[in-house]
Amino acid sequence: MFDFFRKHNKIVMIFLFLLIIPSFVLFGVDRYQGSGKDEKVARVDGHDITRPEWDAQHRNEVDRIRQQSPNVDPTLLDSEVMRYATLERMVRDRVLAAAAAKSNVTISEERLSRIFAQDAGLASFRTPDGKFDRETFQRVTGRTPEQYEASMRADLATQQMLLGISGTAFTPPALAAATINAFYDRREIQVARFGPESFASKVTISDADIEAYYKDHAAQFQAPEQASIEYLVLDLEAAKKNISVNEADLKTYYEQNKARFGTKEERRASHILITAPASASAADREKAKAKAEQLLAEVKKAPATFADVARKNSQDPGSAEKGGDLDFVTRGAMVKPFDDAMFALKKGDISDVIESEFGYHIIRLTDIKPAVVPPFEQVRATIENEVRAQQATQEFAKAAEAFTDAVYQQPDSLKPAAEKLKLTIQTATNVARTPAPGATGALASRNFLSALFAADSLDRKQNTEAIEVGSNQLASGRVTQYTPAHPVPLAEVKDKIRAQLVTERAAVLAKTEGEAKLAAWTAKADGATFAAPVTVSRRESQNQPIAVVDAALRADASKLPALVGVDLGTQGYAVVRVTKVVPRTPSAPEQAQQENTQVGQSVAAAEDVAYYNLLKERFKAEILVPKPADTLPVPTR
């Protein structure tokens, strides 16, 4: 059969060509590339946001955050909550951009030029002759100047749209007072608590009750799917190991960077300064110079008196009282004329009069600490690490290609890739589809875990493709053992169910008792038993449940004392007796002004949100993926 293919390979090629090309014509190339790139995750004004756009924007935001805060936990950045927040920002930006476009909001060239001229960041991309370095800008920012300008125009236009709302927000004094008082309001209360623990002994739970609860709440007692995996991680440190370093190159690097590995020459000098600022008149400068020349002649004649002359005559307040001593400094630490003169002297020499922007100096060199350069052998390890680090990025790119190819070409094992790139195969158990609290590295990457739990990976136990799990980090893994989700046996959760049922039913009994007491005490206050009075507010709960504080503050203050009942769920029930309103201590004028400002800012923010929600409806903005629970993973640090 294979002989036929070898002898008639041209016929076979033509047959395959005729078979494959029509399928591309009928179904399109995209069908063969997968539909993931076309998945729509949001829509604004008839325009879709696709998952690749979302992924790219989130990667950009994560990279920016990592640059600003290198120690941030990657688990937080890659969480579903953070990813969804990125999508919400994308939708918001597009809604505001659409509103700006429909309202014909434009940014003038003059305003844009003024902003660019004041941008210190952009100034760093100008060459000494004033020209803009386009290539460097594009390499550093990842955008062309045209893309940056378009982004700036869009940002300024959307800011202008919102400024028309928030910039005109007005907070009447009555509204500010009502808002602030609601926050600071205080009530003196007494509380009678009816806790479920007092009624637990009255609750009887049968095995039938437990079994019924187990059946009715089967979803609560599912053990999640889990997998045991092995995986490889390729990063810059791993790439460094594959770099071969030539001894001659290390020595050349040493010779070129000797100054960095040792200490620079240091010199200690004393000086006498006669001040003559650049703004002084020519006559005043000449007078100062003549004075310096006179002092120079004096110390040249008697060098041992230099310190005394400096104390009496130097106009440098920092050094005069120390006899002009400036302590040890390295080259470049002083202004240039002074620096050049000091490093041209020999120990004990006194300079001529040196002119600088501060005036006229007389310098005496008092000591020299020569530069110390450690021998090559002493810094060899440091040099080798630096050379490897410089080559690591380039080597990583090569290694990444080899890594990607190796895990694909031999999909049933990670061993060939590990041997080829000198990587260590790592293992993990009880791995789930989402990162576990405290997970780090590849196990904190949702993309990596999603690839592990894909159908091909689970069914065939094959390597995943190379997945980017961080900056200059690739990972590939394979599932060695998989346990699907399954019900936890009743015997394992029986005690847990019993305790839960006791708590729930005891809480019902506590509520019943509390409601009965509330009714009885409302009808007749005699015999009511409450705890000692406490004063509570939204700022100071005095260890009372928030529900108790809220109920006390909502009670009708015109009819005191007042009784209110509060259902605390599994914590039982409370009867709250509100005895009086406690006036707040008036704020100092400065604090009161700050409070009013904060209320005004809150009102402006609320109006911004209301306006944005209106625009969302107008431009039919919708997010097409479900919103995750508003919980973030536990940080590892």
Side-chain angles (χ1 to χ4, degrees):
M1 178 176 177
F2 290 106
D3 288 339
F4 173 81
F5 282 111
R6 280 195 293 270
K7 291 177 182 178
H8 304 90
N9 60 350
K10 289 186 178 179
I11 297 174
V12 172
M13 292 284 287
I14 293 171
F15 172 75
L16 291 175
F17 180 81
L18 294 173
L19 180 66
I20 294 172
I21 292 302
S23 65
F24 280 110
V25 173
L26 291 173
F27 301 106
V29 177
D30 287 348
R31 291 289 295 274
Y32 291 89
Q33 294 177 336
S35 58
K37 74 172 192 174
D38 294 327
E39 181 186 353
K40 300 173 181 60
V41 294
R43 184 177 296 113
V44 178
D45 197 26
H47 301 285
D48 296 324
I49 298 175
T50 63
R51 184 169 288 277
E53 289 178 304
W54 179 18
D55 291 341
Q57 179 66 22
H58 188 66
R59 279 197 301 272
N60 291 339
E61 293 196 4
V62 167
D63 289 344
R64 176 177 53 79
I65 294 172
R66 280 176 173 164
Q67 288 176 359
Q68 296 173 350
S69 307
N71 296 325
V72 68
D73 194 308
T75 309
L76 299 177
L77 300 181
D78 201 33
S79 67
E80 289 298 326
V81 173
M82 294 293 282
R83 285 179 53 80
Y84 194 85
T86 298
L87 182 58
E88 288 182 315
R89 284 190 290 274
M90 291 179 71
V91 170
R92 183 178 186 275
D93 289 345
R94 296 203 182 186
V95 166
L96 294 175
K102 290 290 174 68
S103 301
N104 296 317
V105 175
T106 57
I107 305 302
S108 68
E109 293 292 338
E110 180 184 354
R111 182 183 177 194
L112 201 63
S113 298
R114 188 167 62 252
I115 291 172
F116 286 165
Q118 296 170 351
D119 191 330
L122 289 178
S124 64
F125 293 105
R126 295 198 178 277
T127 57
D129 59 0
K131 294 182 179 179
F132 188 77
D133 190 339
R134 180 187 181 91
E135 183 179 341
T136 302
F137 178 86
Q138 194 164 343
R139 184 175 66 252
V140 172
T141 66
R143 292 188 291 182
T144 65
E146 291 77 15
Q147 289 172 328
Y148 178 76
E149 180 180 341
S151 174
M152 282 293 296
R153 285 186 184 277
D155 289 345
L156 290 170
T158 54
Q159 288 174 19
Q160 194 164 316
M161 287 293 299
L162 290 177
L163 191 60
I165 300 299
S166 60
T168 58
F170 173 69
T171 309
L175 173 60
T179 305
I180 294 169
N181 288 337
F183 184 70
Y184 284 106
D185 260 0
R186 296 188 294 172
R187 299 286 189 273
E188 183 183 85
I189 64 172
Q190 293 175 280
V191 181
R193 290 285 298 270
F194 301 87
E197 62 279 358
S198 302
F199 299 86
S201 60
K202 299 179 181 179
V203 176
T204 302
I205 305 297
S206 67
D207 288 344
D209 292 334
I210 294 173
E211 188 172 351
Y213 188 92
Y214 178 77
K215 291 180 179 178
D216 293 341
H217 301 82
Q220 293 183 16
F221 307 109
Q222 287 284 321
E225 61 178 341
Q226 292 181 336
S228 295
I229 68 166
E230 57 183 25
Y231 63 102
L232 294 175
V233 175
L234 175 69
D235 55 18
L236 284 177
E237 287 301 317
K240 283 183 185 179
K241 297 176 183 177
N242 296 321
I243 297 173
S244 58
V245 180
N246 185 292
E247 193 73 11
D249 291 340
L250 295 181
K251 290 183 177 178
T252 300
Y253 187 87
Y254 170 75
E255 293 297 330
Q256 293 173 345
N257 296 273
K258 270 186 176 181
R260 286 202 304 108
F261 298 119
T263 58
K264 295 181 179 180
E265 178 185 335
E266 293 182 278
R267 294 195 166 206
R268 186 171 194 166
S270 297
H271 83 139
I272 299 168
L273 171 66
I274 304 302
T275 58
S279 58
S281 66
D284 287 343
R285 292 187 67 82
E286 281 300 322
K287 184 178 179 181
K289 184 176 181 181
K291 174 68 173 175
E293 294 284 2
Q294 176 192 338
L295 295 174
L296 174 62
E298 187 176 334
V299 295
K300 285 271 191 180
K301 186 176 180 180
T305 64
F306 191 97
D308 291 334
V309 173
R311 288 189 189 94
K312 294 176 183 177
N313 299 278
S314 180
Q315 295 171 346
D316 177 10
S319 67
E321 62 182 15
K322 296 183 291 185
D325 182 39
L326 297 171
D327 210 341
F328 282 100
V329 294
T330 57
R331 180 176 282 278
M334 314 299 283
V335 293
K336 186 167 177 54
F338 189 106
D339 197 70
D340 290 343
M342 180 173 64
F343 275 84
L345 295 174
K346 294 179 182 179
K347 185 176 178 179
D349 284 355
I350 296 175
S351 72
D352 293 331
V353 172
I354 306 299
E355 182 179 1
S356 79
E357 60 190 85
F358 301 105
Y360 298 94
H361 307 260
I362 304 166
I363 307 169
R364 182 171 187 257
L365 189 65
T366 56
D367 203 355
I368 298 175
K369 284 184 181 178
V372 177
V373 180
F376 171 76
E377 291 74 17
Q378 187 175 331
V379 292
R380 186 191 181 286
T382 301
I383 293 172
E384 182 176 352
N385 189 55
E386 287 187 11
V387 171
R388 287 182 183 277
Q390 290 178 2
Q391 299 177 13
T393 302
Q394 185 177 357
E395 181 62 29
F396 177 81
K398 296 177 184 177
E401 186 175 350
F403 181 83
T404 301
D405 184 63
V407 298
Y408 174 77
Q409 294 292 346
Q410 294 172 291
D412 295 326
S413 174
L414 293 172
K415 189 174 180 181
E419 291 176 347
K420 183 176 182 178
L421 296 166
K422 300 177 184 177
L423 301 175
T424 301
I425 296 178
Q426 303 178 60
T427 61
T429 57
N430 301 327
V431 177
R433 286 181 185 263
T434 55
T440 59
L443 299 181
S445 168
R446 291 180 179 272
N447 290 338
F448 178 62
L449 296 178
S450 295
L452 281 172
F453 282 87
D456 283 350
S457 181
L458 290 178
D459 296 341
R460 301 178 185 178
K461 303 292 191 293
Q462 291 187 341
N463 303 337
T464 69
E465 62 181 346
I467 305 293
E468 184 179 2
V469 296
S471 179
N472 292 320
Q473 285 186 319
L474 291 177
S476 175
R478 59 186 297 271
V479 174
T480 56
Q481 184 177 348
Y482 173 68
T483 304
H486 59 279
V488 178
L490 174 60
E492 294 182 18
V493 294
K494 188 173 183 179
D495 291 340
K496 179 180 177 181
I497 294 174
R498 182 185 301 278
Q500 187 168 337
L501 286 175
V502 168
T503 299
E504 290 179 359
R505 296 184 182 182
V508 171
L509 294 177
K511 180 181 178 181
T512 301
E513 177 70 10
E515 288 175 337
K517 291 293 186 183
L518 174 63
W521 294 342
T522 300
K524 186 178 180 181
D526 295 346
T529 54
F530 290 95
V534 292
T535 300
V536 298
S537 69
R538 288 187 171 88
R539 297 184 66 198
E540 299 173 343
S541 66
Q542 305 292 354
N543 296 322
Q544 297 294 334
I546 296 301
V548 167
V549 176
D550 286 343
L553 292 171
R554 289 193 179 98
D556 188 351
S558 64
K559 300 176 181 178
L560 297 182
L563 293 181
V564 291
V566 185
D567 185 354
L568 300 176
T570 56
Q571 294 182 351
Y573 194 83
V575 176
V576 181
R577 184 171 184 262
V578 182
T579 56
K580 63 180 178 180
V581 175
V582 181
R584 61 167 293 203
T585 304
S587 301
E590 187 175 321
Q591 183 181 348
Q593 179 61 40
Q594 185 178 3
E595 291 168 353
N596 289 332
T597 300
Q598 289 175 341
V599 172
Q601 291 171 346
S602 299
V603 170
E607 291 189 2
D608 272 354
V609 171
Y611 180 55
Y612 171 61
N613 289 334
L614 178 66
L615 292 177
K616 277 172 54 177
E617 292 182 13
R618 181 179 302 170
F619 293 103
K620 297 180 173 58
E622 56 179 334
I623 294 179
L624 305 175
V625 293
K627 183 175 182 179
D630 291 329
T631 55
L632 289 171
V634 178
T636 59
R637 285 182 277 277

